[in-house]
Amino acid sequence: MSTEEQSIARSRSLARSAEEQRSQQLREVSPAFRDELDARRHDRVGPDWAGGLPAQYGVAPRIRIGRSKWFNLLWLIPIGMALMVIGIAVARGIVDTPAVKDFLTAYPGASELPEGTPQGFPVWMQWQHWLNIFFMFFMMRSGLSILADHPRLYLTRHSTPGREWFRMQRPVPVDDPTYTAKGDSLTLPDGVGLPGRRHSIGLARWWHLSIDVLWLLNGVVFVALLIVTGHWARIVPTSWDVIPHALSTAIQYLSLDWPTENGWVNYNALQLLAYFVTVFIAAPLALLTGLGMSPALSTRFRRISRVFSIQLARSLHFLVLCWFVMFIIVHVALVFATGALRNLNHMYAGNDGTSWTGFWIFLATTAVLIVVWVAATPVTYRYPRAIRRMGLALIGPVQRLFEHVDSKPGKYTEKDISPYFWSNGRVPDSDEYRRLQKDDFRDYRLRIEGLVENPVSLSLDDLRTMARHDQITQHFCIQGWSGVAKWGGVSMSSVLDLVQPKPEAKWVVFYSFAEGAEGGLYYDAQDIDQMRYHLTMLAYDMNDEPLSFSHGAPLRLRNEAQLGFKMVKWIQGIEFVERFEDIGGGLGGYNNDHEFFGYRQSI
Ligand SMILES: Nc1nc2c(c(=O)[nH]1)N[C@H]1C(S)=C(S)[C@@H](COP(=O)(O)O)O[C@H]1N2
Ligand SMILES: [Mo]
């Protein structure tokens, strides 16, 4: 070895030992963050699990009338009954008048079908009809669980308490800064929701989105077959006389002199309209309003989402559900009330007879449905990871497609800032945090370590002297609420320039002072590629004021390409790592370890 080589080697080893010393010191000052994580693997949902929250039932659903009057929707039951009685009385009163008689003769109740329209119910239709309802029950249940996680519906992207038009929860105590969105969530009975327990949205979303893929596939095949076989004409109005025919059918139903059933050949006009709306309007609307709730699409297509915001989409999505529920109730009731055996033979046995065959097939297939219905919740609690895998397999490829949409978050103006911004998560209560908080975080040090060339420990003043970055962005919480705020702080890009990640560093882990709902520090691992994004930052200001306690003082993450739960608040340290499997529960974040969310949840 030449003297030159020797001196290089010596200086290298000196540098190495200096670095070792420094990281040693860092470790002595405070322990490694990882030690304070919950390292258990949560592979089951235990009896007391509810995202760490005790059960909480809300109030009967109500809608807002005017500024602050609330109408309890349970009143719709007696009102509906009264209207029905009145309708029957009126129909019976007029049905024998000559004018109505003439009208009923002119419009007996069904439009003429186009030439060559096939009759009956082919096998594919029987199967698809059953699969459709099978999928829909699980989508409706999981959808209710998602709704219960933020049991309020709004018309604009601001989720302002008191401005919602629908709620099934008490009013928000707006003067209580510790009231959180998670605290606002509701329990649904097991078997109603899917899975049902409070704040089970992680699992509910996997169900909802993955069954959705199957439901849509089934629907596309159904509509394609309707078109190629000509069966479409049985449920699509082809003439305006469908309106008087429908009125005629309504009078006949209400006068209790029901129209003669001829569903094998030609539905009556009311039926036709109901089926048309369900298949060709409600189902596509369910898809469109579902897509309208995508944060990525709503930031990408800002012009559209200015009005058709994710909150409006969520509201409309709920109204589509209401249509489906009403349709199913009336449809099933009429199937049984208007010649059950024949009707069941149509859809379950494919014949027009009055034997019991259709009934038995209906009973058997409904038994399957009931068994799966009852099993779905306990199976989800027993095998939550499998549900998550099913979701990743079915919807993952679609989600990854969306990750390539540059959603262009940001670009909001001061005018867009929300009057109310929900708080979320469990606040820090460690002695260390309280001590720092007491003198305005004078002694706060942000430790950045791991696979970096230059580990640092930064005070708030250090951070405030770094290049300042401001942005106005919309926040999307997985629970369903959203809000626009202005954030001030330093770009993660500047932080990366300072600490210089090593090439092996692939993930950046943010550690909070606060514990998560079930104990162990809250943490989250993020793809290092997203750290250079111009809207990824450490924020110490919110809406031009120092970050408040409930929003994450003294420092929180903003990664606008991700959902809210990824944005760790009350940050005490950042670690650059190659892999996250050996951190915490090993799934890349507190919510993934505990609530079965995905580790990538790009908006
Ligand atoms: N430490 C910590 N950070 C957290 C959470 C938490 O529970 N603990 N909740 C997350 C969730 S779910 C959301 S939606 C946002 C909410 O931020 P906000 O309270 O400022 O609205 O914080 C995220 N950061
Ligand atoms: Mo959230």
Side-chain angles (χ1 to χ4, degrees):
M1 212 186 267
S2 73
T3 43
E4 198 187 352
E5 280 171 333
Q6 273 175 359
S7 84
I8 290 175
R10 193 162 352 103
S11 70
R12 279 216 186 111
S13 94
L14 270 180
R16 204 177 311 124
S17 73
E19 191 184 312
E20 269 162 21
Q21 241 177 0
R22 190 156 44 176
S23 63
Q24 182 68 33
Q25 276 168 357
L26 278 173
R27 232 167 283 136
E28 274 163 15
V29 177
S30 48
F33 303 120
R34 296 186 188 200
D35 299 345
E36 295 177 61
L37 302 181
D38 174 7
R40 292 170 295 168
R41 269 191 70 89
H42 296 264
D43 283 337
R44 266 188 205 215
V45 173
D48 47 282
W49 181 86
L53 302 161
Q56 168 176 255
Y57 298 88
V59 297
R62 45 201 74 199
I63 52 176
R64 184 163 55 85
I65 316 263
R67 281 203 74 76
S68 55
K69 289 242 177 333
W70 291 88
F71 173 76
N72 185 330
L73 289 179
L74 290 182
W75 281 108
L76 286 182
I77 298 172
I79 290 173
M81 285 189 184
L83 285 179
M84 189 128 99
V85 170
I86 295 171
I88 290 172
V90 171
R92 288 190 75 99
I94 61 167
V95 76
D96 287 325
T97 61
V100 173
K101 269 200 165 131
D102 288 350
F103 174 70
L104 294 185
T105 324
Y107 295 100
S111 308
E112 197 106 354
L113 288 176
E115 198 72 45
T117 303
Q119 304 184 346
F121 297 76
V123 175
W124 59 264
M125 192 183 287
Q126 300 166 31
W127 272 98
Q128 291 206 285
H129 173 261
W130 187 77
L131 279 176
N132 178 65
I133 196 62
F134 184 83
F135 293 144
M136 279 197 66
F137 276 138
F138 297 101
M139 284 174 57
M140 293 193 292
R141 286 180 57 192
S142 50
L144 280 180
S145 276
I146 293 171
L147 176 66
D149 217 43
H150 191 69
R152 306 174 189 277
L153 294 170
Y154 314 87
L155 297 175
T156 73
R157 66 179 159 235
H158 310 294
S159 307
T160 314
R163 301 303 302 155
E164 68 269 46
W165 67 269
F166 171 96
R167 63 175 163 88
M168 37 189 217
Q169 174 61 295
R170 290 167 196 84
V172 176
V174 276
D175 42 0
D176 176 2
T178 64
Y179 192 79
T180 64
K182 280 176 202 165
D184 201 50
S185 67
L186 297 180
T187 310
L188 291 177
D190 286 359
V192 174
L194 180 58
R197 228 164 280 174
R198 192 163 166 214
H199 194 44
S200 54
I201 190 168
L203 291 166
R205 274 172 57 112
W206 292 126
W207 269 107
H208 198 72
L209 297 176
S210 51
I211 299 292
D212 185 35
V213 172
L214 303 177
W215 181 72
L216 282 174
L217 274 177
N218 189 56
V220 167
V221 173
F222 180 71
V223 170
L225 284 173
L226 279 184
I227 292 170
V228 299
T229 58
H231 272 279
W232 64 269
R234 281 163 53 70
I235 59 167
V236 176
T238 46
S239 149
W240 283 109
D241 70 5
V242 72
I243 309 270
H245 278 301
L247 182 63
S248 159
T249 326
I251 295 173
Q252 296 174 59
Y253 276 120
L254 283 173
S255 65
L256 304 182
D257 179 15
W258 287 6
T260 23
E261 281 298 314
N262 193 18
W264 183 259
V265 178
N266 194 357
Y267 292 125
N268 70 49
L270 262 193
Q271 259 178 310
L272 182 144
L273 285 179
Y275 298 154
F276 173 71
V277 169
T278 303
V279 175
F280 292 100
I281 295 179
L285 260 184
L287 173 63
L288 279 178
T289 53
L291 288 174
M293 279 185 277
S294 150
L297 292 180
S298 83
T299 36
R300 175 73 185 73
F301 301 104
R302 200 178 310 276
R303 201 100 53 86
I304 300 175
S305 69
R306 189 159 280 278
V307 176
F308 185 58
S309 70
I310 63 161
Q311 299 303 341
L312 184 58
R314 195 168 181 261
S315 294
L316 295 174
H317 202 67
F318 174 73
L319 292 179
V320 175
L321 167 76
C322 294
W323 168 268
F324 279 132
V325 170
M326 241 173 51
F327 171 81
I328 292 169
I329 292 171
V330 175
H331 175 65
V332 173
L334 285 178
V335 162
F336 279 89
T338 61
L341 291 183
R342 219 175 133 201
N343 288 335
L344 290 172
N345 271 332
H346 288 175
M347 197 45 109
Y348 286 84
N351 70 58
D352 194 23
T354 50
S355 70
W356 284 80
T357 324
F359 176 79
W360 291 121
I361 301 175
F362 166 76
L363 215 60
T365 53
T366 304
V368 173
L369 207 145
I370 291 172
V371 168
V372 182
W373 179 303
V374 171
T377 292
V379 165
T380 305
Y381 290 151
R382 178 66 190 79
Y383 302 105
R385 299 273 170 230
I387 299 298
R388 185 171 167 273
R389 271 199 304 278
M390 167 185 83
L392 278 171
L394 283 169
I395 196 71
V398 186
Q399 277 185 339
R400 278 191 283 284
L401 273 182
F402 277 74
E403 282 183 3
H404 300 293
V405 177
D406 179 3
S407 55
K408 300 196 173 57
K411 298 232 180 81
Y412 291 90
T413 64
E414 307 260 348
K415 283 202 311 288
D416 299 319
I417 292 176
S418 298
Y420 183 91
F421 200 94
W422 283 80
S423 291
N424 224 349
R426 178 168 164 186
V427 298
D429 58 1
S430 67
D431 293 339
E432 189 189 1
Y433 182 84
R434 287 224 192 79
R435 186 173 55 76
L436 293 170
Q437 189 187 28
K438 223 168 54 214
D439 30 76
D440 266 342
F441 300 102
R442 211 191 44 217
D443 297 330
Y444 171 79
R445 294 291 178 276
L446 170 71
R447 286 159 51 199
I448 310 182
E449 53 194 51
L451 299 174
V452 291
E453 301 293 348
N454 179 32
V456 292
S457 169
L458 303 170
S459 69
L460 272 185
D461 282 343
D462 294 338
L463 286 164
R464 283 192 185 269
T465 44
M466 288 171 72
R468 183 187 169 90
H469 168 82
D470 282 294
Q471 65 192 32
I472 302 177
T473 53
Q474 183 173 5
H475 178 100
F476 301 97
C477 173
I478 197 167
Q479 294 187 274
W481 57 271
S482 53
V484 179
K486 180 176 179 186
W487 305 97
V490 285
S491 285
M492 269 311 281
S493 191
S494 320
V495 174
L496 261 57
D497 289 344
L498 175 70
V499 300
Q500 295 175 39
K502 296 183 177 170
E504 315 87 271
K506 296 279 182 301
W507 296 90
V508 186
V509 188
F510 295 81
Y511 297 96
S512 178
F513 279 110
E515 294 198 340
E518 294 180 284
L521 288 188
Y522 193 94
Y523 78 99
D524 198 83
Q526 318 237 345
D527 196 326
I528 197 165
D529 290 341
Q530 290 193 340
M531 296 299 111
R532 285 276 181 197
Y533 187 58
H534 71 287
L535 293 178
T536 305
M537 66 178 293
L538 296 174
Y540 45 67
D541 285 347
M542 177 184 186
N543 296 338
D544 295 319
E545 282 175 36
L547 208 54
S548 67
F549 172 61
S550 68
H551 289 298
L555 197 66
R556 64 141 350 133
L557 176 66
R558 296 299 310 170
N559 175 353
E560 309 298 351
Q562 298 283 328
L563 287 180
F565 73 85
K566 306 280 294 176
M567 307 195 200
V568 178
K569 301 193 286 185
W570 312 288
I571 296 176
Q572 59 165 317
I574 303 174
E575 187 185 14
F576 286 70
V577 299
E578 194 174 351
R579 52 202 294 276
F580 54 68
E581 281 76 1
D582 39 3
I583 296 176
L587 293 170
Y590 197 88
N591 288 296
N592 318 335
D593 290 345
H594 290 258
E595 290 173 12
F596 314 101
F597 291 4
Y599 71 93
R600 304 207 288 203
Q601 209 88 63
S602 296
I603 63 164

